[in-house]
Amino acid sequence: MATTTLIFYPNEKKKSSRTGKIPVYLRILHNGSKAEARLTAVDAIELLMWNNKTMSFEQRNNRTNDRIVAIQHDFNCLDAKNNFKLHHFTAKQIIDEVLGRSQQNENVEYYAIEYINSYFNDFVLNNKAIAYNNIKNYRKMINHFKNFLKINNYENLVLSDFDHVKAQEFKTYLTSDYEPLLKKAMTEVSATSVICKLKAILGYALDCEVIKKNPFKKIKMTYLSPPKPKLTADELSSISNLDLENFPTLKVYRDIFLFSCYTGLSYNDVCRL
């Protein structure tokens, strides 16, 4: 007779050094073997509400608790559906079943923000091929998306309901001021850089048949910045010869600016020298 145990636990050993969040895992022990899957990540304050005995958070309306209950229910259904004989399953097969990974032809609903966070944690965060600044840009995109969901009361939006209209709303949010969050409007090019990262994640969801089409497919995006005014040689010479005797503290900033102009280095690159 197969012996199967489900364990939910926070793994503090895998705490993120960058975000400080602790992942919560599902572990399945089955006939001497085990399989694990990451469910979510929580901050240190939320972790204080974790109860090891009940394997849940002592909080009302906690989304992770809802997912834990759903997984336990799906396991019971899986066990009953197979006449309580799971000996022919591996631990990994069971975990795939209860998490919906094996349901290729069924519609499995995902919260939009949970799917995006999961993609980031699985494919971006620890990917050594992705530059650190690019990882930071993914985080910024996720923060923008979270704020967009919150101000529009879309926090429980499932991925399949994120359609073309909502994609256009997200672009409008990026390119608009929003005073309650002290948010300034982005340029079209900056908004495109945010949208491209979200579009890539949704492209992956499309490949996995989680969604039927990418909502950003027909969203018009601008990739090239409009031409910016340039200093003439005479203007650059005027700055170089500017008399700053009465403003000595400005000399170093003038020199840094001129160095950038002569070398073509960005301000950030100069600061790293």
Side-chain angles (χ1 to χ4, degrees), residues 8-9 18 24 30 52 56 59 78 88 92 102 108 149 151 188 238 273:
F8 301 91
Y9 72 101
R18 291 175 183 164
V24 177
H30 179 69
N52 285 320
S56 62
Q59 263 178 322
L78 175 68
H88 57 287
K92 185 180 184 306
S102 64
V108 181
L149 295 177
I151 67 174
E188 285 280 338
S238 296
L273 295 177

Side-chain angles (χ1 to χ4, degrees), residues 173-196:
Y173 162 78
L174 293 174
T175 55
S176 304
D177 291 332
Y178 191 71
E179 292 185 4
L181 296 179
L182 302 177
K183 176 191 169 297
K184 297 296 183 181
M186 288 185 175
T187 64
E188 285 280 338
V189 175
S190 295
T192 294
S193 68
V194 173
I195 290 172
C196 281

